Amino acid sequence: MNKSETDTVQTKSHEEEAIDSNIIYSEYQAILQNAINCLPPQRQKIFNMSRMKNMSHKEIASESRVS
């Protein structure tokens, strides 16, 4: 195998790894969303404020009117 052929094989390997990573990430996102959907509505809201909006505990408490 010459260098050009080796580079092509390595490129395919990287492309395949990227595809695999995207599939795994999508599956993870679906599992996470299903878990979030199982939470009561108030906990869903708090989880999303914390993890998705990067709000601090203090900000969440203030917005949720919890001391």
Side-chain angles (χ1 to χ4, degrees):
M1 195 178 300
N2 66 32
K3 182 170 175 16
S4 167
E5 292 171 329
T6 302
D7 289 344
T8 301
V9 170
Q10 288 175 345
T11 301
K12 287 181 184 176
S13 179
H14 291 297
E15 289 172 2
E16 290 170 353
E17 287 178 21
I19 291 168
D20 288 345
S21 292
N22 286 337
I23 291 169
I24 291 168
Y25 180 77
S26 295
E27 289 173 350
Y28 166 77
Q29 287 297 107
I31 292 167
L32 177 61
Q33 191 58 54
N34 285 335
I36 293 168
N37 292 341
C38 290
L39 295 171
Q42 184 66 12
R43 289 196 182 177
Q44 286 182 34
K45 180 181 175 184
I46 291 169
F47 179 87
N48 285 322
M49 285 189 283
S50 171
R51 299 296 188 253
M52 306 305 175
K53 295 182 179 179
N54 296 317
M55 293 173 69
S56 70
H57 292 153
K58 190 173 185 176
E59 292 170 322
I60 293 168
S62 175
E63 188 165 315
S64 300
R65 297 186 180 104
V66 175
S67 51

